[in-house]
Amino acid sequence: MALVSIHKEAKACTSLKDKSFTINILSDEQESVAWQFAGSKQDTLEIDWDNKGITQKINGSVAWMECKPWREFEAGDHVLFIGEIQELHFEDLEALTFYQVNMRSAKQLVK
């Protein structure tokens, strides 16, 4: 099982209802992708999508989990979408993290 928490006013909240979804763990090379999905438009960004499987995945990610919808719960100003993981894939790459208003690799956090 995997959980995604989406603000009720986000476009993704409406589009996730009763739909399969993918959780992508971005690599430290994909900071611009992370900012794009955080709402900061990256004008020159072209996301490399993989359209095979249940849902789209982002190529170059450290990992991804394809999920079928299981349950959905209201949680204050968010909706919690719980998915049953159908497929899991991972690569030997450094994960991107968000810490103290900065994006960096997970490896940089432990230094």
Side-chain angles (χ1 to χ4, degrees):
M1 305 300 267
L3 178 139
V4 177
S5 176
I6 307 288
H7 194 279
K8 285 181 179 178
E9 295 179 14
K11 291 178 197 173
C13 192
T14 308
S15 61
L16 273 176
K17 186 152 186 66
D18 298 321
K19 297 228 174 79
S20 295
F21 59 92
T22 295
I23 299 171
N24 293 279
I25 311 291
L26 299 178
S27 78
D28 62 352
E29 307 262 320
Q30 295 175 305
E31 183 176 340
S32 59
V33 175
W35 286 118
Q36 176 76 24
F37 282 98
S40 178
K41 184 156 176 50
Q42 307 295 298
D43 292 323
T44 60
L45 177 67
E46 288 193 32
I47 297 173
D48 182 15
W49 293 103
D50 177 345
N51 295 308
K52 294 179 249 123
I54 299 171
T55 60
Q56 289 184 313
K57 295 158 284 296
I58 300 173
N59 282 321
S61 296
V62 172
W64 51 258
M65 294 167 266
E66 284 186 317
C67 302
K68 284 191 174 180
W70 185 71
R71 296 279 192 286
E72 178 184 315
F73 300 98
E74 299 266 334
D77 61 355
H78 281 64
V79 176
L80 305 179
F81 294 93
I82 300 174
E84 182 180 356
I85 299 171
Q86 300 297 300
E87 194 75 36
L88 169 67
H89 176 81
F90 59 91
E91 299 286 338
D92 187 20
L93 300 169
E94 288 299 318
L96 182 66
T97 61
F98 184 76
Y99 178 70
Q100 294 183 341
V101 195
N102 293 301
M103 298 269 188
R104 58 183 79 172
S105 77
K107 191 179 270 187
Q108 290 174 316
L109 289 177
V110 294
K111 289 182 179 183

